[in-house]
Amino acid sequence: ANALYDPNDSSITMCYELMEHFYKLFKSSGKNEQQAYEKMFDAVRFVFLHELGHAMIDLYKLPMTGNEEDAADRVSAYICLEEIKDGVKSVLAAADAFEIESKGKTADKRDMADEHLLSEQRFYNSLCMIYGSNTVKYQNFVKQGYLPKERAVRCPNEYERTMQSWQSL
């Protein structure tokens, strides 16, 4: 189950196994078949745009001053939130997948050494991007305790900087 950008031929590959992984993941969390299918589709869209982020970084030789995987997550969230009608569902589906994947799993050396952030971090970063895009509309993230207040106060600035960075690049 994978998706990847290949700089050798400038292609993005989305494996069917990734779709199956997401479908089973959402089913395992109690979603019915239709809900699991919809969440799977939304999560796959987020992943495709994540890989497109890698492609843009490579093809346009964009400067990265931080973790490229985090930058790819953030551009995916930015595109979903700003360019796609109901794209917030894709960011939420990705966040849900990150949260489900993190449950019952203790990070080991492989996880810590991986270029991707930990699933828990990706979960909170995704929520922060959504909340930062519209603090009034998504105030329940904080009120219901999904996003800690200490992080939430920084989210509008994080979102704004991400948006400005990708618009400039």
Side-chain angles (χ1 to χ4, degrees), residues 7-124:
N8 296 317
D9 64 1
S10 303
S11 66
I12 294 173
T13 301
M14 300 292 294
C15 298
Y16 290 116
E17 293 84 1
L18 181 66
M19 297 170 74
E20 183 178 10
H21 167 75
F22 282 133
Y23 177 79
K24 288 179 178 178
L25 191 70
F26 293 125
K27 282 283 289 177
S28 76
S29 73
K31 302 289 184 209
N32 66 37
E33 287 188 22
Q34 183 62 34
Q35 292 168 327
Y37 176 79
E38 289 171 11
K39 295 282 267 185
M40 175 273 301
F41 178 79
D42 290 331
V44 166
R45 178 170 35 196
F46 180 90
V47 172
F48 175 78
L49 293 170
H50 170 101
E51 297 305 330
L52 183 63
H54 287 300
M56 290 188 297
I57 291 165
D58 175 56
L59 295 171
Y60 294 117
K61 306 295 183 231
L62 300 178
M64 287 291 104
T65 59
N67 180 307
E68 184 175 323
E69 292 298 334
D70 186 44
D73 276 355
R74 289 175 183 272
V75 74
S76 178
Y78 164 67
I79 293 169
C80 287
L81 295 168
E82 294 294 327
E83 302 296 333
I84 298 174
K85 184 180 183 208
D86 293 331
V88 68
K89 291 179 357 185
S90 291
V91 185
L92 283 170
D96 287 347
F98 297 140
E99 182 181 38
I100 296 165
E101 288 173 340
S102 72
K103 288 184 177 174
K105 183 177 187 241
T106 304
D108 59 19
K109 284 184 179 182
R110 261 183 71 176
D111 296 319
M112 298 302 245
D114 193 81
E115 66 272 14
H116 295 89
L117 297 176
L118 298 174
S119 293
E120 295 91 333
Q121 292 173 299
R122 295 176 86 183
F123 166 74
Y124 286 112

